[in-house]
Amino acid sequence: MLLTVLGCSGSIPGPGAAASGYLLEADGFTLVLEFGNGVLSRFQEERPLFAMDALVLSHLHPDHCVDVSSLYVARKYHPTPPSGPLPVYAPAEAPSRFVAAYAPDADERASLDFSDVFSFHGLGSTVQIGPFTVDSAVVAHPCEAYGFRISCGGVSLAYTGDSGSCAALDKLASGVDVLLSEASWTHAPDRQPDLHLSGHEAGDLAARAGAGRLLITHVPPWTSREDVLEEARSAFDGPCELVVQGGRYEVGETSR
């Protein structure tokens, strides 16, 4: 399984940096995880415009999904559009969310239907997406939000999405080869609960889970990446690094 980071800037896009977007590939199948600000542009730098086979969204905050509106335009109006709708696995309100983001007035929203471009599927259970087995569970965030465990060929990657510490993350991450964890701030007692992880909490999650490798992502432009990494390493003694835009990471036995 190959992970390519399309974007990893937390909460907003940074200077020259796209928000959340990740590419997972195995057995010739291309799964895109998250589609935030700037990710459609970055995807086209890595792969042809219509090369994705499925899209998975953890939640519907803009930094994780806003480029879906532009993807709709591309798949709808391109002179040679792809055949058939793109499978999109997302929270329940995804269809209305994307219609509202795209259409400027109530009349257009009432007549707009994305079903010819996207085939929407819910989350919260185990699904097979191409060669990937995807387990999802509700995590601690202010909206309907999910974390994931994605397995293929005997290896696994857990992704926290946006979440505070919770039992669901421990279950998803247990024994994974790679934990891709957000860490949006440094640790402090006055941090808002059930919103994000600190670097220390990401490292502690990896340690409790027995993860083979910790990859830190979703650090906002106003947060020190070095301080977040130092916190994570203080709590987890395994391989640990900050992901970078354009970075490629093999998920396999070498992760341990």
Side-chain angles (χ1 to χ4, degrees):
M1 190 191 310
L2 177 65
L3 166 69
T4 300
V5 176
L6 301 175
C8 55
S9 181
S11 299
I12 64 168
S20 293
Y22 310 95
L23 184 61
L24 282 172
E25 296 172 287
D27 298 341
F29 192 94
T30 301
L31 175 67
V32 178
L33 178 61
E34 312 285 51
F35 217 66
N37 318 67
V39 172
L40 179 57
S41 173
R42 282 283 301 121
F43 181 83
Q44 292 173 86
E45 293 182 60
E46 297 285 347
R47 301 291 183 272
L49 177 59
F50 302 132
M52 69 182 74
D53 295 304
L55 174 62
V56 176
L57 303 172
S58 69
H59 67 292
L60 301 179
H61 281 148
D63 61 313
H64 291 256
C65 72
V66 75
D67 268 17
V68 172
S69 293
S70 296
L71 184 62
Y72 168 79
V73 173
R75 297 181 70 93
K76 178 75 172 180
Y77 297 108
H78 194 281
T80 55
S83 59
L86 177 73
V88 177
Y89 297 81
E93 292 189 13
S96 60
R97 173 76 167 88
F98 297 135
V99 166
Y102 175 80
D105 57 58
D107 288 341
E108 185 176 5
R109 288 192 292 274
S111 62
L112 194 60
D113 182 3
F114 276 19
S115 63
D116 58 334
V117 173
F118 301 125
S119 173
F120 289 101
H121 307 270
L123 295 169
S125 61
T126 301
V127 294
Q128 193 70 30
I129 307 176
F132 300 102
T133 300
V134 180
D135 295 291
S136 58
V138 173
V139 294
H141 204 55
C143 60
E144 183 186 357
Y146 295 86
F148 300 98
R149 184 187 183 102
I150 301 172
S151 306
C152 179
V155 300
S156 56
L157 174 145
Y159 170 57
T160 62
D162 282 8
S163 176
S165 295
C166 62
L169 289 182
D170 286 85
K171 183 175 180 180
L172 290 169
S174 179
V176 292
D177 294 282
V178 170
L179 171 60
L180 178 63
S181 177
E182 72 117 307
S184 298
W185 48 40
T186 52
H187 205 67
D190 60 347
R191 298 300 190 194
Q192 181 178 335
D194 298 335
L195 183 62
H196 291 297
L197 296 172
S198 67
H200 176 81
E201 288 170 327
D204 194 42
L205 171 62
R208 291 195 309 273
R213 183 182 185 188
L214 173 60
L215 299 178
I216 298 291
T217 190
H218 197 275
V219 182
W222 52 77
T223 297
S224 167
R225 288 169 54 86
E226 292 73 21
D227 288 350
V228 165
L229 179 60
E230 183 179 355
E231 282 194 356
R233 285 177 169 170
S234 73
F236 176 61
D237 61 7
C240 176
E241 63 185 290
L242 295 158
V243 301
V244 295
Q245 183 167 292
R248 290 171 172 77
Y249 308 88
E250 289 284 351
V251 181
E253 292 305 317
T254 55
S255 300
R256 292 189 169 273

